[in-house]
């Protein structure tokens, strides 16, 4: 059917296709890992943000739900172990189990902060809130370092501006927001026809 002259060419084409398929599968595996790592990181950030709020809430009329804070503690503990799927312990000649990576230290700090808050029930703890805020910042920076090749590249033209904490000081917009229920809004007299 085929002459023997074509056999090396067919083998070469087959080899090239196999290499291309292998490269594509490596890229897909990396994208899946990045997706899983992003999901894990998002869960950690959500946990830290909630924990921060429990430490020193702006709304002072409630009581601390210590059981909810304890749930944050065991969620953080689980996230440490889930994080080991991405960041295994660094082996040290003197230790069998190895040493946890820096990024997981921040998650463990969240676990310990939640345990402390749950055990002591101290609210209005501004110093603890600042510690949790700082650990979240460090965590995000470490996560960005790990994901650097996958992050979107930004330049100086993307630099944001200072955002006032007081909404009354924000720049007024030219266009007025009009909602369907507003008296002077579109279809204000809509009767359902």
């Amino acid at each position: 059917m085929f002459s023997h002259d074509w056999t090396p060419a067919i083998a070469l084409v087959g080899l090239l296709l196999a290499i291309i398929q292998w490269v594509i599968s490596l890229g897909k595996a990396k994208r899946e890992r990045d997706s899983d790592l992003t999901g894990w990181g998002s869960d950690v950030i959500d946990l830290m943000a909630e924990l921060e709020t429990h430490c020193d809430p702006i709304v002072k009329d409630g009581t601390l739900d210590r059981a909810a804070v304890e749930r944050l503690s065991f969620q953080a503990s689980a996230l440490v172990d889930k994080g080991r799927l991405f960041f295994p312990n660094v082996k040290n000649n003197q230790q069998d189990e190895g040493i946890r990576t820096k990024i997981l230290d921040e998650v463990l700090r969240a676990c310990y902060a939640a345990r402390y808050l749950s055990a002591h029930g101290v609210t209005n703890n501004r110093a603890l809130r600042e510690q949790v805020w700082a650990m979240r910042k460090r965590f995000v920076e470490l996560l960005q370092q790990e994901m650097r090749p996958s992050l979107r590249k930004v330049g100086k033209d993307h630099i944001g501006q200072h955002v006032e904490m007081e909404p009354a000081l924000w720049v007024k917009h030219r266009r007025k927001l009009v909602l369907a229920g507003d008296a002077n809004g579109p279809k204000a007299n809509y009767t359902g026809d």
Side-chain angles (χ1 to χ4, degrees):
M1 190 165 203
F2 288 109
S3 76
H4 291 295
D5 295 337
W6 287 95
T7 304
I10 292 172
L12 183 60
V13 168
L15 178 64
L16 287 174
L17 288 175
I19 291 171
I20 290 170
Q21 188 175 18
W22 176 71
V23 169
I24 290 171
S25 67
L26 283 178
K28 182 180 177 191
K30 185 176 178 348
R31 285 188 302 278
E32 285 177 8
R33 181 192 180 277
D34 283 352
S35 177
D36 292 344
L37 182 58
T38 301
W40 171 80
S42 295
D43 290 345
V44 172
I45 292 166
D46 288 347
L47 180 137
M48 288 179 174
E50 186 175 348
L51 177 60
E52 180 186 329
T53 303
H54 282 294
C55 292
D56 186 26
I58 294 172
V59 178
K60 306 287 188 192
D61 59 355
T63 59
L64 177 67
D65 184 352
R66 292 167 73 172
V69 176
E70 188 169 5
R71 279 191 295 280
L72 290 178
S73 169
F74 71 71
Q75 288 173 352
S77 179
L79 286 168
V80 170
D81 286 337
K82 289 177 183 179
R84 284 190 167 101
L85 299 174
F86 304 106
F87 310 104
N89 284 355
V90 179
K91 297 294 180 185
N92 188 338
N93 293 339
Q94 297 141 356
Q95 296 178 339
D96 293 333
E97 294 180 12
I99 300 172
R100 187 180 43 258
T101 59
K102 287 189 248 185
I103 194 167
L104 294 180
D105 284 349
E106 301 306 329
V107 186
L108 188 61
R109 281 187 179 94
C111 177
Y112 291 164
R115 286 179 186 170
Y116 175 87
L117 192 59
S118 179
H120 298 284
V122 179
T123 56
N124 307 328
N125 192 335
R126 178 75 180 212
L128 186 58
R129 183 170 184 154
E130 287 175 1
Q131 287 287 340
V132 175
W133 175 80
M135 83 176 63
R136 184 171 59 163
K137 183 176 185 294
R138 287 189 304 267
F139 175 81
V140 170
E141 288 171 353
L142 291 166
L143 187 61
Q144 286 176 331
Q145 287 175 11
E146 291 296 328
M147 299 188 70
R148 182 84 49 217
S150 303
L151 292 178
R152 182 176 180 273
K153 306 296 182 240
V154 292
K156 290 182 181 179
D157 56 330
H158 292 99
I159 294 175
Q161 299 176 357
H162 173 73
V163 176
E164 291 289 339
M165 290 182 72
E166 177 60 49
L169 300 176
W170 294 350
V171 175
K172 303 273 189 263
H173 291 280
R174 286 185 242 148
R175 185 173 176 191
K176 185 178 185 226
L177 172 67
V178 179
L179 302 174
D182 291 347
N184 297 327
K187 301 184 182 180
N189 298 323
Y190 180 72
T191 59
D193 302 353

